[in-house]
Amino acid sequence: MKIEGIQKCNSPFGECEHEYVWMYQISQSTNGRLDVEMLDKPLASVIEEQEDRYKMRVICPKCNQYNTFEYIKN
Ligand SMILES: [Zn+2]
């Protein structure tokens, strides 16, 4: 299963504000390889999981800085 979202760059370094689509694969494949179709979007990773939300991190494709944000589970 994978989820997608839109993030506006919130890097503390500079004023990038680039808006982009990220994605996250909840269950990684057993061989550790990612689907080819996923490679066109930045991959987010979960820093912390709470009952109703994920705290996530993704690298902005424009400025290459980490963005952290919360994703509310459906
Ligand atoms: Zn950025």
Side-chain angles (χ1 to χ4, degrees):
M1 183 192 166
K2 60 190 176 186
I3 54 177
E4 280 186 9
I6 295 172
Q7 169 69 9
K8 192 173 184 181
C9 182
N10 61 6
S11 166
F13 307 103
E15 294 173 16
C16 171
E17 297 193 346
H18 180 54
E19 213 172 75
Y20 57 94
V21 177
W22 54 265
M23 72 180 356
Y24 173 65
Q25 188 174 20
I26 290 177
S27 51
Q28 302 287 344
S29 58
T30 49
N31 62 10
R33 284 162 62 184
L34 300 167
D35 298 337
V36 173
E37 58 165 323
M38 297 182 65
L39 297 178
D40 62 335
K41 297 189 186 102
L43 283 173
S45 55
V46 169
I47 306 171
E48 198 181 305
E49 182 172 359
Q50 291 170 4
E51 203 171 312
D52 62 336
R53 69 193 65 198
Y54 294 115
K55 191 174 178 187
M56 306 191 83
R57 184 171 73 177
V58 65
I59 296 175
C60 172
K62 190 175 180 189
C63 67
N64 294 313
Q65 300 291 340
Y66 279 120
N67 288 190
T68 53
F69 59 94
E70 286 188 341
Y71 177 85
I72 310 294
K73 294 180 187 177
N74 291 325

